[in-house]
Amino acid sequence: MADLESARRWLAGAERIAVLTGAGISAESGVPIFRGPGGLWRQYRPEDLATPGAFARDPRLVWEWYDWRRSVVAQAEPNAGHLALAELERRTKDFTLITQNVDGLHERAGSRRVLKLHGDLWTLRCTGCGAERVDGTVPLPELPPRCALRLRSGQACGGLLRPGVVWFGESLPADALEQAMAAAARAQVFLVVGTSAVVQPAASLPLMARQAGARVVEINAEPTPLTELVDASFLGKSGELLPRLVEAGVRA
Ligand code: OAD
């Protein structure tokens, strides 16, 4: 297993880098993770809150949970890990950030090219007319929210709005997934940060990258199914490790 200095050199010398992030990168910003100590899925059941069936049964309950998550994220700030990735993007020719997170903290930290595999907490999508809009209002004034779009008849659509996220049992946005796979295939270094690496297809991206010749570097608070399979693994907090790994101005 390579040490931090080697991994730093790989990153500094690479022209093509891809990164996959999960909930762990936002943990130090105060956004709860899903699995592991304090994880949301220890407290709640995904089948009650994050499936199309749950929404059909009780849209208000589902929206209360998402409205709470929106309020948590609205009060959060990007941390040193998010900022280090934005810095890495600025100095890398071909850089792709793939995230499973829906919190928008990467963009707020200055990341530009972000592929959001699981959608976005701030997007609302109408289950009636299909229209999408970005709405940062916290809390939402009405739960569940309704679509205010004017139809040709002049009447408001009134359809039920849903969170613009990907739920269990739903497909990932095909475009984002395709671009993520292409980025994994051409990356010289693939960095995996703060993900338990158990949710597919995201968890396969680092392995695809490795098969295509990339060096894979993992940063996570605890070992994952990937840990034994990567070129370098660093256990710890991404807000502390990423700035060291991405140290500004370092060249190979
Ligand atoms: P998880 O909650 O499954 O995993 C987060 C990982 O981050 C865990 O392995 C933690 O040990 C690690 N971690 C915690 N704090 C950290 C820190 N400060 N620095 C580094 N690592 C830290 O989150 P994801 O892997 O993102 O999907 O979960 C994947 C998907 O499962 C989510 O996008 C969500 C969830 O169900 C949907 O809702 C569809």
Side-chain angles (χ1 to χ4, degrees), residues 7-242:
R8 183 156 47 199
R9 273 202 312 274
W10 298 340
L11 280 174
E15 287 192 345
R16 299 184 302 281
I17 297 175
V19 183
L20 172 68
T21 64
I25 195 166
S26 296
E28 287 154 87
S29 296
V31 181
I33 59 171
F34 294 95
R35 299 170 188 81
L40 293 170
W41 296 151
R42 291 212 172 165
Q43 209 179 335
Y44 306 100
R45 288 167 8 119
E47 52 273 43
D48 292 338
L49 297 167
T51 66
F55 189 68
R57 275 193 305 278
D58 196 341
R60 191 184 160 86
L61 176 76
V62 169
W63 261 115
E64 280 170 357
W65 191 64
Y66 277 92
D67 206 36
W68 166 72
R69 287 180 59 197
R70 286 162 57 101
S71 74
V72 171
V73 171
Q75 287 165 34
E77 294 294 334
N79 64 54
H82 298 108
L83 295 170
L85 291 180
E87 163 66 24
L88 187 60
E89 176 170 12
R90 281 191 284 275
R91 68 171 207 224
T92 306
K93 211 167 160 186
D94 176 347
F95 183 91
T96 307
L97 178 50
I98 306 156
T99 190
Q100 301 165 87
N101 297 348
V102 295
D103 56 29
L105 289 177
H106 283 306
E107 292 93 329
R108 281 171 58 196
S111 288
R112 294 269 168 271
R113 188 172 153 68
V114 185
L115 299 176
K116 301 173 81 111
L117 294 184
H118 292 166
D120 175 24
L121 263 186
W122 304 106
T123 300
L124 309 185
R125 186 163 74 242
C126 181
T127 56
C129 71
E132 284 192 359
R133 70 179 159 93
V134 174
D135 187 335
T137 314
V138 171
L140 285 165
E142 180 200 7
L143 293 184
R146 297 270 168 189
C147 182
L149 200 81
R150 292 270 154 216
L151 300 176
R152 245 185 259 152
S153 63
Q155 281 189 325
C157 164
L160 195 57
L161 293 172
R162 60 162 283 177
V165 300
V166 176
W167 280 327
F168 288 99
E170 294 184 319
S171 322
L172 273 59
D175 234 33
L177 183 59
E178 206 172 292
Q179 289 181 53
M181 291 196 295
R186 68 178 185 272
Q188 293 160 301
V189 181
F190 192 102
L191 190 55
V192 199
V193 186
T195 176
S196 56
V198 294
V199 174
Q200 296 296 349
S204 298
L205 291 167
L207 300 176
M208 287 176 47
R210 191 153 200 272
Q211 265 184 341
R215 299 206 201 252
V216 180
V217 179
E218 181 184 53
I219 291 181
N220 207 62
E222 57 189 4
T224 74
L226 285 178
T227 306
E228 293 293 311
L229 308 171
V230 299
D231 299 282
S233 160
F234 305 105
L235 291 182
K237 293 183 173 178
S238 48
E240 291 168 9
L241 287 167
L242 271 175

